[in-house]
C-alpha cells in the first residue's frame, strides 16, 4: 500500500461508527457479550488468566494520574501471581503522591464504565487506538520479561481488533471487556478489604494522610458504585428497546 493509502486507511479506522443500538444487533448477541465479561470474572480458571487485565489498568491508572500530577512514570512490573507495581518518581509526600496512590483501585471501574459507554455509542475505534498507545507506553517502561509479554500480547490483540475488526465486533468486545473490568474492580476491592498489609494502597494512603484506611476504602467503593450505576443505566437503555 502507498503512504496515502495507508494514511487513508488509518483515518477511516479512526472514525466513530454507528451506535450498537442503531445497527440492529440482536439482543441475544448483546447478552452474550455481557455474559462473557461476567463469566471471565466468575469462573476461577478464566479469572486466573484474565485478571491480569485488571492489574494492568490498575497500574496504568497509577501511572497516568502520576504523570498528570507532575510525577515521572519510570517503571511497570507485572507478576505471574497477577500483582503489579507502577513506579513513579517525585516527592515522597504531598498531593501528587496521594492522588497517584489513590488512582489505582478506581481505575478499572472507571475504565470499564468508559468502555461500555464508548462501545455502545460507536466510539470503539478511537478508544482502541488510544488503548494501544497507552499499552505501548507501558511496554516501554516494562521491567520484567513477564511484563513485556503481557503488554505485547495485549497491545497486539487490541491493535488487531482496531485494524481488522468491524464496528459491531469492536463494540461488543468493548462491552465484554468493560463488564470484566468493572466486576474485576469490585473483586480486587473485596480482596484488599480482606487483607492487611502495609504495602496496600489504602494503608499507604492512611500513612501519607492520617486518614483511616476504612475511609479510603469507602472512597474506592463510592467510585465503583457510581461506575456500576452508569453501566447499569446504559445497558438498560441498550437492551430494553
Amino acid at each position: 500500500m502507498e503512504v496515502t493509502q495507508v494514511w487513508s486507511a488509518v483515518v477511516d479506522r479512526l472514525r466513530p461508527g454507528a451506535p450498537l443500538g442503531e445497527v440492529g444487533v440482536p439482543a441475544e448477541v448483546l447478552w452474550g457479550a455481557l455474559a462473557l465479561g461476567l463469566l471471565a470474572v466468575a469462573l476461577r480458571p478464566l479469572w486466573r488468566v484474565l485478571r491480569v487485565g485488571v492489574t494492568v489498568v490498575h497500574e496504568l491508572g497509577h501511572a497516568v494520574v502520576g504523570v498528570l500530577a507532575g510525577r515521572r512514570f519510570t517503571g511497570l512490573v507485572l507478576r505471574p501471581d497477577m500483582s503489579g507495581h507502577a513506579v513513579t518518581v517525585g516527592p515522597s509526600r504531598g498531593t501528587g503522591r496521594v492522588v497517584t496512590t489513590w488512582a489505582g483501585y478506581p481505575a478499572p471501574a472507571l475504565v470499564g464504565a468508559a468502555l461500555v459507554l464508548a462501545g455502545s455509542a460507536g466510539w470503539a475505534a478511537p478508544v482502541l487506538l488510544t488503548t494501544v498507545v497507552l499499552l505501548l507506553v507501558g511496554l516501554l517502561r516494562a521491567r520484567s520479561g513477564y511484563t513485556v509479554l503481557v503488554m505485547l500480547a495485549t497491545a497486539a490483540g487490541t491493535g488487531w481488533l482496531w485494524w481488522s475488526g468491524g464496528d459491531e465486533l469492536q463494540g461488543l468486545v468493548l462491552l465484554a471487556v468493560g463488564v470484566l473490568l468493572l466486576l474485576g474492580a469490585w473483586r480486587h476491592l473485596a480482596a484488599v478489604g480482606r487483607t492487611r498489609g502495609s504495602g496496600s494502597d489504602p494503608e499507604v494512603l492512611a500513612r501519607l494522610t492520617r486518614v483511616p484506611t476504612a475511609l479510603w476504602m469507602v472512597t474506592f467503593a463510592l467510585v465503583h458504585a457510581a461506575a456500576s450505576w452508569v453501566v447499569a443505566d446504559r445497558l438498560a437503555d441498550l437492551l430494553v428497546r
Side-chain angles (χ1 to χ4, degrees):
M1 296 177 68
E2 296 180 359
V3 174
T4 55
Q5 292 176 311
V6 172
W7 178 249
S8 176
V10 169
V11 171
D12 185 61
R13 285 164 175 79
L14 282 174
R15 294 192 180 99
L20 286 179
E22 296 179 6
V23 296
V25 180
E28 310 85 69
V29 175
L30 293 172
W31 280 112
L34 300 177
L36 287 176
L38 172 62
L39 291 175
V41 178
L43 297 180
R44 187 179 296 273
L46 287 176
W47 176 244
R48 285 177 177 172
V49 175
L50 297 177
R51 66 180 179 179
V52 69
V54 182
T55 302
V56 168
V57 176
H58 177 115
E59 301 305 336
L60 289 181
H62 285 308
V64 170
V65 173
V67 171
L68 293 176
R71 300 174 68 83
R72 289 188 297 115
F73 174 39
T74 62
L76 176 65
V77 178
L78 302 172
R79 305 181 185 91
D81 66 358
M82 303 307 168
S83 63
H85 182 58
V87 182
T88 62
V89 177
S92 60
R93 305 189 73 86
T95 303
R97 174 74 190 283
V98 171
V99 297
T100 300
T101 304
W102 181 86
Y105 278 99
L110 293 174
V111 172
L115 292 184
V116 170
L117 292 176
S120 61
W123 281 79
V127 169
L128 287 169
L129 182 58
T130 302
T131 301
V132 171
V133 172
L134 289 174
L135 291 170
L136 291 177
V137 171
L139 175 63
L140 294 175
R141 299 293 187 269
R143 289 190 174 182
S144 72
Y146 179 76
T147 307
V148 170
L149 178 63
V150 170
M151 300 304 286
L152 269 178
T154 308
T158 306
W160 176 88
L161 181 63
W162 169 68
W163 186 259
S164 301
D167 292 344
E168 182 177 324
L169 176 62
Q170 291 177 348
L172 291 171
V173 170
L174 258 61
L175 284 185
V177 174
V179 170
L180 185 159
L181 289 176
L182 179 60
L183 297 179
W186 278 110
R187 187 160 179 170
H188 274 204
L189 186 62
V192 77
R194 292 192 300 266
T195 60
R196 288 292 181 267
S198 59
S200 71
D201 290 352
E203 296 197 5
V204 171
L205 287 167
R207 291 202 309 272
L208 291 171
T209 63
R210 297 186 181 179
V211 175
T213 300
L215 289 183
W216 288 114
M217 291 293 293
V218 169
T219 67
F220 296 152
L222 288 174
V223 174
H224 284 52
S228 299
W229 183 87
V230 168
V231 168
D233 183 66
R234 184 67 192 99
L235 293 179
D237 288 341
L238 188 64
L239 294 167
V240 182
R241 53 185 171 83

